[in-house]
């Protein structure tokens, strides 16, 4: 990112959410984004992942200038290289846990059922394959969202509070899953977290304060 800012227009004027953000994340690096509620962490993650566009500045992802790419090009880039765990999960409400996890593979024209079953077993949901999201607890939905993000074995993984609502043991299992992929594949992981233990396990922490990166 180079000189990135994000401003939104509100009825009573412009609101600056992010200002003057420049940063580099190297392949294989694991970076935590930390900061108070409302400091801009989710907005920053969305810009890094090409889900949102900056108001000014440049964002390069996997060698491509996403600030200058149209929605189709950004979608293709995300499908090729990126996994994303959303803060509010964003599961498909009418699809089972198994189908939610298989979906990104099926969108690529692959059969995803076996891989989805294995991933759900890995996050402890082997007995919940056919539950709809509304039949799952909050923490279980979160684990489905994480399994889905891993389904395509992305080279770059973005996760927004992946252990936020989980108990310590489940959180630890998710953490292991998050970092376990690294050994074999050198996955780049960018994770927003309030969990100090998870942040400490990353190579580096970026701290946001009211839309600016602290030195
Ligand atoms: N589309 C939008 N329109 C107006 N304001 C927005 C918009 N998106 C975010 N904001 C504001 O920008 C600020 C940063 O939001 P963001 O979601 O990035 O915070 P966060 O650091 O992820 O917080 P949390 O830890 O609570 O998830 C907040 O004050 C929020 O109200
Ligand atoms: Mg957030």
């Amino acid at each position: 990112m180079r000189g990135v800012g994000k401003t939104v227009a509100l009825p009573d004027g412009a609101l600056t959410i992010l200002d003057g953000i420049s940063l580099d994340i190297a392949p294989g690096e694991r970076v935590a984004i930390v900061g108070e509620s409302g400091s801009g962490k989710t907005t920053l993650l969305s810009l890094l992942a090409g889900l949102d566009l900056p108001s000014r500045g440049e964002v390069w992802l996997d060698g491509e200038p996403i600030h200058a790419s149209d929605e189709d090009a950004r979608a293709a880039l995300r499908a090729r290289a990126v996994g994303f765990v959303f803060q509010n999960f964003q599961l498909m409400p009418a699809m089972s846990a198994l189908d939610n996890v298989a979906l990104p593979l099926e969108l690529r024209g692959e059969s995803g059922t076996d891989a989805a079953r294995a991933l759900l077993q890995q996050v402890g949901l082997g007995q919940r394959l056919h539950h709809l999201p509304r039949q799952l607890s909050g923490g279980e939905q979160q684990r489905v969202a994480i399994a889905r993000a891993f389904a395509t074995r992305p080279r770059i993984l973005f996760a927004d509070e992946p252990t936020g609502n989980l108990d310590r043991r489940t959180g630890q299992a998710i953490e292991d899953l998050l970092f376990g992929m690294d050994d074999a594949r050198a996955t780049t992981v960018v994770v927003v977290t309030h969990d100090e233990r998870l942040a400490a396990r990353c190579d580096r922490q970026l701290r946001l304060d009211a839309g600016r990166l602290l030195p």
Side-chain angles (χ1 to χ4, degrees):
M1 273 189 169
R2 286 289 174 271
V4 163
K6 182 73 182 179
T7 304
V8 292
L10 296 178
D12 47 353
L15 172 70
T16 297
I17 301 176
L18 291 173
D19 197 18
I21 309 273
S22 295
L23 58 88
D24 292 279
I25 296 172
E29 214 180 359
R30 300 179 306 195
V31 177
I33 299 173
V34 300
E36 286 178 5
S37 175
S39 59
K41 303 181 299 297
T42 295
T43 307
L44 179 62
L45 201 70
S46 303
L47 292 171
L48 285 169
L51 291 165
D52 193 6
L53 286 172
S55 308
R56 58 196 166 275
E58 298 185 355
V59 185
W60 295 76
L61 177 64
D62 203 30
E64 287 194 29
I66 51 182
H67 53 281
S69 307
D70 62 17
E71 175 53 34
D72 286 350
R74 283 184 285 132
L77 173 58
R78 288 196 303 267
R80 189 180 79 227
V82 170
F84 204 99
V85 181
F86 294 91
Q87 193 168 16
N88 54 2
F89 322 141
Q90 304 244 13
L91 298 175
M92 305 296 277
M95 293 173 72
S96 69
L98 189 67
D99 290 342
N100 263 285
V101 177
L103 183 63
L105 290 165
E106 294 186 344
L107 288 174
R108 288 179 163 190
E110 299 168 24
S111 162
T113 312
D114 290 344
R117 187 177 292 112
L119 277 163
L120 284 165
Q121 268 157 5
Q122 221 175 323
V123 298
L125 293 177
Q127 305 301 315
R128 298 286 186 279
L129 300 180
H130 304 292
H131 279 53
L132 296 173
R134 65 178 158 75
Q135 298 167 325
L136 294 167
S137 73
E140 287 171 346
Q141 291 178 43
Q142 193 162 7
R143 284 184 273 161
V144 174
I146 289 162
R148 181 182 58 183
F150 283 122
T152 55
R153 300 168 60 79
R155 279 180 293 119
I156 312 170
L157 188 76
F158 295 96
D160 199 349
E161 293 277 3
T163 59
N165 303 308
L166 303 177
D167 60 86
R168 201 182 153 82
R169 206 169 122 240
T170 312
Q172 180 84 55
I174 294 302
E175 224 177 86
D176 290 345
L177 194 65
L178 211 59
F179 292 127
M181 286 179 58
D182 278 347
D183 303 337
R185 292 175 45 83
T187 307
T188 308
V189 179
V190 185
V191 58
V192 169
T193 188
H194 288 287
D195 181 341
E196 285 180 17
R197 207 187 46 184
L198 176 55
R201 227 173 128 171
C202 293
D203 300 317
R204 192 153 60 98
Q205 299 186 18
L206 299 172
R207 185 167 297 276
L208 276 179
D209 181 42
R212 289 178 164 274
L213 214 48
L214 293 183

